[in-house]
Amino acid sequence: MNFFNRKTTWSNGEFIPLKLCIASAYILVGACFHDFVYQNRVIFILLFIVTVIFSVYSWIKKMSKENK
């Protein structure tokens, strides 16, 4: 059983609790370690930019594959 290769279909409404969970974790980490986050903000900004580019590329690739 390979957990990461299973395919499931989720609606946007089903992702709301997961998104709220992740957002609240980010807020807690930022509130508790605000000095650490501020000192390393360049690393976090670069990580954000790389993951956004990867996510958008993956999304566009998937959408173009489904529309053929």
Side-chain angles (χ1 to χ4, degrees), residues 1-41:
M1 181 175 100
N2 193 347
F3 180 75
F4 295 108
N5 287 335
R6 289 186 157 207
K7 295 193 179 212
T8 60
T9 303
W10 292 61
S11 69
N12 286 335
E14 292 170 329
F15 273 120
I16 289 173
L18 177 65
K19 290 177 183 180
L20 288 174
C21 174
I22 293 170
S24 62
Y26 289 152
I27 291 170
L28 287 173
V29 168
C32 294
F33 302 104
H34 60 277
D35 291 332
F36 173 77
V37 173
Y38 183 74
Q39 289 173 353
N40 298 308
R41 68 186 176 273

Side-chain angles (χ1 to χ4, degrees), residues 6-12 15 54-68:
R6 289 186 157 207
K7 295 193 179 212
T8 60
T9 303
W10 292 61
S11 69
N12 286 335
F15 273 120
F54 177 75
S55 299
V56 170
Y57 173 76
S58 298
W59 178 66
I60 291 172
K61 185 177 174 182
K62 181 179 178 179
M63 294 299 289
S64 66
K65 197 182 273 188
E66 287 179 358
N67 288 331
K68 285 186 176 181

